[in-house]
Amino acid sequence: MSEVEKVKAFYDYNPEIEWNRLEGFHFEFEITKRMMQKFMNPGKVLDIGCGPGRYSTYLAKEGFDVTAVDLSDGNVEFVKKKTKELKLDVKCYQADARDLSSLPLELYDYVLVMGPMYHLFSEEDRKKVIVEARKYLKPGGLIFVSFIGLHAGLNYYLDECPEELINEDDYIYLDALIENKTWSGTAFTEATFIEPDDIKPFFDTLEFEKVSIFGQEGVTATRLSFLEAQSEEVRNLYLELSLKMCENPKYFIYSSHIMYIGKK
């Protein structure tokens, strides 16, 4: 079974996982929403790799015209159910992000790719997704692409279970971390952990102009569970601090997800 088939099966089985992960206050979701507010005005959005629809439903509530696409049938059904429940008009289709030619798509002001880069092992496949996404982006439009950062695994151990690092299988991931190399393998499912320095050059070859790169957890990932359980006053302090620091490459290691915003 290929990594794509394994990922599809993972999300088909339990689409609620990703929806619940961003339930309530979550730094990744709050920081990303703030950055979207900074760079987006109501318009047409194509959400490729929409998962269970956290960002699709958020943007639809904010007045955007949203079309959502996901590889997982389970995710697609979840989005349809959730948008009906919330009385939101979101068009949703099932397709592989590497080829959207079968879908009735238009041109969009914004394209989100917030899932496929997490799971594709080869750079060739990751480029296919972005080349495909670019076809549906208006000239001057913005693309928003999320990656799992190379340090995400270490951040998870430091935050959730430092003692479990001793069980890391043969330390292949740790070797990649020490050598600052993008790594692909089995984590929560099949996943790619990107070296942050690889992100901008990747898009430079695909005819995008960088607007921003930022850490989606800001400076909180190594203490995420603890900080998210704090009072609103404390959370807001770290949220505002993170927003001031999230675009500084020196602090990307304190985020487990990194987003690239580029202009066509």
Side-chain angles (χ1 to χ4, degrees):
M1 187 182 288
S2 71
E3 76 264 21
V4 174
E5 291 169 325
K6 290 179 182 178
V7 169
K8 184 179 185 302
F10 175 80
Y11 288 110
D12 280 346
Y13 179 72
N14 194 356
E16 292 89 353
I17 288 176
E18 182 68 8
W19 181 270
N20 293 337
R21 189 179 73 81
L22 296 179
E23 187 68 34
F25 180 92
H26 194 90
F27 279 99
E28 176 193 344
F29 194 38
E30 297 303 321
I31 290 170
T32 304
K33 287 192 297 184
R34 295 285 193 97
M35 295 299 281
M36 286 180 167
Q37 291 165 7
K38 180 178 178 179
F39 293 108
M40 298 174 75
N41 295 307
K44 295 172 70 67
V45 176
L46 176 61
D47 187 358
I48 303 172
C50 65
R54 271 291 180 190
Y55 289 96
S56 287
T57 54
Y58 163 69
L59 290 170
K61 286 178 183 177
E62 294 295 307
F64 289 81
D65 179 350
V66 181
T67 298
V69 179
D70 201 81
L71 174 70
S72 163
D73 297 280
N75 276 339
V76 169
E77 289 308 309
F78 187 91
V79 173
K80 289 179 177 179
K81 177 183 175 182
K82 185 60 70 172
T83 52
K84 183 177 180 181
E85 175 188 314
L86 296 171
K87 296 181 172 56
L88 296 172
D89 183 15
V90 174
K91 297 174 282 295
C92 193
Y93 305 103
Q94 189 280 330
D96 188 315
R98 293 170 295 182
D99 182 5
L100 304 177
S101 59
S102 65
L103 303 182
L105 301 180
E106 308 168 30
L107 287 179
Y108 299 84
D109 302 292
Y110 309 101
V111 174
L112 313 184
V113 183
M114 301 175 68
M117 299 293 105
Y118 295 176
H119 301 297
L120 293 169
F121 284 9
S122 78
E123 184 169 304
E124 179 183 356
D125 275 341
R126 295 194 291 273
K127 284 187 175 181
K128 279 182 183 177
V129 171
I130 302 304
V131 168
E132 189 71 1
R134 195 178 188 280
K135 292 178 186 177
Y136 302 99
L137 185 62
K138 293 179 181 178
L142 298 181
I143 192 168
F144 295 73
V145 186
S146 288
F147 296 85
I148 298 175
L150 177 60
H151 297 82
L154 181 61
N155 291 341
Y156 169 77
Y157 284 120
L158 288 169
D159 177 41
E160 296 273 356
C161 50
E163 74 283 358
E164 292 295 326
L165 185 62
I166 198 168
N167 297 320
E168 178 69 37
D169 290 345
D170 62 26
Y171 291 90
I172 294 175
Y173 163 68
L174 295 182
D175 288 342
L177 189 66
I178 292 165
E179 295 169 12
N180 292 321
K181 291 183 178 179
T182 291
W183 177 85
S184 299
T186 301
F188 60 100
T189 182
E190 306 308 292
T192 291
F193 292 65
I194 201 83
E195 159 53 44
D197 288 345
D198 292 345
I199 295 174
K200 185 178 181 297
F202 173 81
F203 286 96
D204 287 346
T205 67
L206 298 171
E207 300 181 81
F208 283 96
E209 175 189 342
K210 188 197 88 168
V211 173
S212 176
I213 301 177
F214 68 94
Q216 290 175 259
E217 285 86 359
V219 292
T220 70
T222 60
R223 296 283 281 163
L224 195 61
S225 300
F226 177 78
L227 289 170
E228 288 182 351
Q230 298 303 300
S231 68
E232 182 177 358
E233 182 181 12
V234 172
R235 292 199 310 262
N236 285 339
L237 171 65
Y238 282 91
L239 176 60
E240 294 305 321
L241 180 64
S242 291
L243 287 165
K244 291 173 182 176
M245 299 169 71
C246 68
E247 293 178 278
N248 188 331
K250 292 180 180 179
Y251 301 109
F252 287 168
I253 62 172
Y254 295 103
S255 282
S256 294
H257 299 83
I258 300 170
M259 175 171 277
Y260 173 93
I261 304 175
K263 180 185 288 189
K264 179 176 176 179

